[in-house]
Amino acid sequence: QFEKEVVLEWIDVNDLLLEPMRLPVKITAEAYEIDFTFTFPEGDGVDFGVLKVEEGGEQSFTIANNGLYRVGYKFAFARPKRSLVAKYFCIENDPDTDDPDYKEDDPHGKS
């Protein structure tokens, strides 16, 4: 955590003020690490194995936030319009209904 006080000072170039004006400003900041744990039921990732085009498959995994603060996430394909496989996948993110920003009418749970 970072905390520092600086003094903002301004002067009158026309010498109308008898002395410079000063305003102390307290600056605080905090950096934190985003710490997620991914848990896959079978191994170290999602593996559909060999499937025929018409066959379906479903895989799931769990994400746990181990950090100090709430953080959001979203899974999506990069450039889905150019991807040859994106149209064969459906990514569903379960919303956190306890989140104060949760919106029931939003399919992702947030606006």
Side-chain angles (χ1 to χ4, degrees), residues 5-17:
E5 187 169 296
V6 295
V7 177
L8 179 63
E9 180 178 288
W10 62 94
I11 58 171
D12 179 11
V13 292
N14 294 326
D15 290 327
L16 297 175
L17 295 173

Side-chain angles (χ1 to χ4, degrees), residues 3-10 22-28:
E3 187 173 304
K4 182 156 178 106
E5 187 169 296
V6 295
V7 177
L8 179 63
E9 180 178 288
W10 62 94
R22 292 180 177 84
L23 176 66
V25 178
K26 184 177 177 181
I27 298 173
T28 59

Side-chain angles (χ1 to χ4, degrees), residues 50-57:
V50 178
L51 296 172
K52 293 181 181 179
V53 173
E54 299 163 350
E55 291 179 339

